Amino acid sequence: MLEQLETMLQEAVAELNAVTTSDALREWELKTLGKNGAVTRMMRGVGSLPAEQRAAFGKRANEVKAALTEGYAEREQLIKAQELARDLESGQIDVTLPGRPASLGGLHPSTQTLRRYREIWAEMGFQVYRSREVEDDDTNFTLLNMPPHHPARDMQDTFYTTTPNVILRTHTSPGQIRAMREFGKGGTEPIRIILPGMCYRFEQITTRSEIQFHQVEGLAVGRGIRMTDLKGTIAEFARRMYGDKAQVRFRASYFPFTEPSIEVDVECFLCGGKGCRVCKYAGWLEISGAGMVHPTVLRNGGYDPAEWSGFAFGMGPERVTMLLHDINDIRYFWSNDLRFLEQF
Ligand code: FA5
């Protein structure tokens, strides 16, 4: 038995010295020092020895076990150090390799136009007021001089909700009423604001019309504000937005909440008025609806129309953005297609 023990020790040491990986070391440990390993098996055999040999065998078996356990610990340390060195070497960063380019985000084309609008109107003394997108029917229509059954309501097909009187605003004009009531202090203070924001219409989607789109509303209320102020203000905006030479023209129009009402065109900034595909050979592009605030609307905002007057306008930035970038379909704006968005 003692001889067997010595042979087992020699073999186990030789095998341990040949081990080079953690996996192989784990296998060696199971086979040699594990519950059913060679050392345990030897120790179990002590009972079959004559009584006088047992003490000497037991002592030697314990020494063998201790020697192998120590050998195992040393080998484990060595292998770990070698593996760490290997990992460090293979995982080294090659600083000479070209880096991965960081992908840059960008602003949505509508946001770019909206920011330009805001900048220009701010330079001209207009503050930004954010009105709500979920409106009530009264503010969106009735208080803007469009009582129920007024035919002008048909011009703006509406998203109704299951809650009576609650709708998605069809234009930014209801913000006029809210701003007059909030800042007019009972019709005693002048106002000069723009109201940018999203609007919703239950419309047939076409290349020029979406069910959601931005508008930038403008409102000025004061004493003695006249149509010439509106015309001059819009002409100045066009000059800043479309260039020094931008020509504007005003056409008579109709909105229930302004009287008189106009529509504003700017000379086509792509062809300089000569006529092209974009302006449909008219030489002019529509940029705004506008007019003098209707006395009824002023009254609904808390102002006495005998003393106060004002002008308002409503612009659609998506259509302008389409013209600026030659985009032929408004549906690209909200389709979340990166191939489109990455071009701006
Ligand atoms: C209005 O909504 C009026 N509230 C504008 C106004 C304000 C007039 C203040 C007078 C005083 P209109 O429906 O024309 O008007 O819309 C104004 C602009 O919004 C349009 O010129 C267009 O640029 C944009 N617009 C309207 N409907 C859509 C649509 N379905 N898709 C994209 N843009 C639209």
Side-chain angles (χ1 to χ4, degrees):
M1 276 285 275
L2 259 178
E3 246 171 62
Q4 274 178 23
L5 187 62
E6 296 305 333
T7 315
M8 186 272 285
L9 172 64
Q10 277 167 19
E11 282 174 6
V13 169
E15 277 174 22
L16 182 62
N17 288 338
V19 164
T20 53
T21 66
S22 296
D23 287 346
L25 185 66
R26 218 166 297 122
E27 242 174 66
W28 180 91
E29 188 201 8
L30 269 179
K31 192 173 133 195
T32 315
L33 297 167
K35 253 196 272 171
N36 296 313
V39 174
T40 320
R41 280 203 309 275
M42 281 281 169
M43 284 178 144
R44 274 194 211 121
V46 78
S48 62
L49 286 174
E52 65 278 9
Q53 291 177 17
R54 283 184 198 163
F57 181 83
K59 185 168 170 269
R60 181 63 188 143
N62 277 331
E63 285 167 5
V64 166
K65 187 176 179 183
L68 289 174
T69 306
E70 198 179 316
Y72 167 79
E74 275 171 19
R75 195 79 196 161
E76 189 184 30
Q77 245 180 9
L78 181 77
I79 287 174
K80 274 195 179 148
Q82 283 172 347
E83 283 181 346
L84 180 67
R86 262 203 305 273
D87 279 359
L88 284 175
E89 200 173 331
S90 66
Q92 245 177 19
I93 297 166
D94 181 352
V95 289
T96 61
L97 281 176
R100 256 179 251 131
S103 61
L104 268 185
L107 290 176
H108 191 283
S110 284
T111 309
Q112 292 181 23
T113 308
L114 279 167
R115 288 197 177 182
R116 183 73 194 122
Y117 273 36
R118 274 216 302 261
E119 238 170 55
I120 295 174
W121 286 114
E123 284 164 13
M124 292 169 65
F126 284 73
Q127 285 187 309
V128 174
Y129 175 64
R130 289 206 168 274
S131 189
R132 58 188 67 181
E133 289 180 24
V134 178
E135 259 300 354
D136 54 65
D137 184 281
D138 290 345
T139 317
N140 195 81
F141 291 120
T142 309
L143 296 173
L144 289 172
N145 208 20
M146 286 182 275
H149 312 299
H150 192 290
R153 285 187 175 218
D154 287 350
M155 287 157 69
Q156 301 182 3
D157 292 317
T158 309
F159 280 111
Y160 291 92
T161 67
T162 45
T163 312
N165 199 30
V166 175
I167 62 166
L168 298 184
R169 69 173 172 196
T170 56
H171 54 167
T172 41
S173 300
Q176 288 187 31
I177 299 287
R178 296 196 179 276
M180 283 193 263
R181 289 183 173 179
E182 196 172 323
F183 303 120
K185 303 217 169 83
T188 59
E189 292 288 326
I191 293 178
R192 194 154 43 163
I193 52 164
I194 55 161
L195 305 106
M198 193 61 94
C199 304
Y200 304 87
R201 290 189 195 173
F202 186 43
E203 278 191 359
Q204 179 69 46
I205 298 176
T206 67
T207 51
R208 276 176 57 77
S209 296
E210 254 291 3
I211 56 171
Q212 65 173 82
F213 53 93
H214 287 101
Q215 280 190 351
V216 177
E217 188 90 5
L219 173 70
V221 179
R223 292 176 200 270
I225 292 185
R226 292 172 306 188
M227 190 73 173
T228 45
D229 296 311
L230 169 61
K231 289 170 77 176
T233 306
I234 296 244
E236 179 58 21
F237 167 79
R239 205 180 58 73
R240 295 183 188 216
M241 181 80 194
Y242 304 109
D244 274 347
K245 297 205 174 72
Q247 295 287 322
V248 284
R249 78 174 181 189
F250 303 92
R251 289 178 285 113
S253 186
Y254 171 74
F255 298 101
F257 32 90
T258 45
E259 180 58 37
S261 303
I262 55 171
E263 255 161 333
V264 187
D265 299 333
V266 63
E267 197 175 56
C268 179
F269 41 79
L270 294 169
C271 65
K274 290 192 198 82
C276 68
R277 196 172 49 81
V278 173
C279 63
K280 300 203 186 85
Y281 301 97
W284 295 92
L285 299 164
E286 187 199 314
I287 56 159
S288 186
M292 300 306 291
V293 182
H294 195 286
T296 305
V297 176
L298 279 174
R299 214 173 285 120
N300 289 337
Y303 288 91
D304 176 1
E307 270 186 59
W308 295 83
S309 57
F311 64 72
F313 54 84
M315 302 180 165
E318 270 82 42
R319 291 200 184 146
V320 170
T321 311
M322 288 172 77
L323 298 170
L324 286 172
H325 298 292
D326 204 7
I327 299 165
N328 57 15
D329 195 327
I330 199 171
R331 282 168 285 199
Y332 288 125
F333 282 84
W334 317 121
S335 61
N336 286 339
D337 188 336
L338 284 180
R339 289 170 304 176
F340 170 72
L341 296 171
E342 279 169 355
Q343 294 178 50
F344 301 96

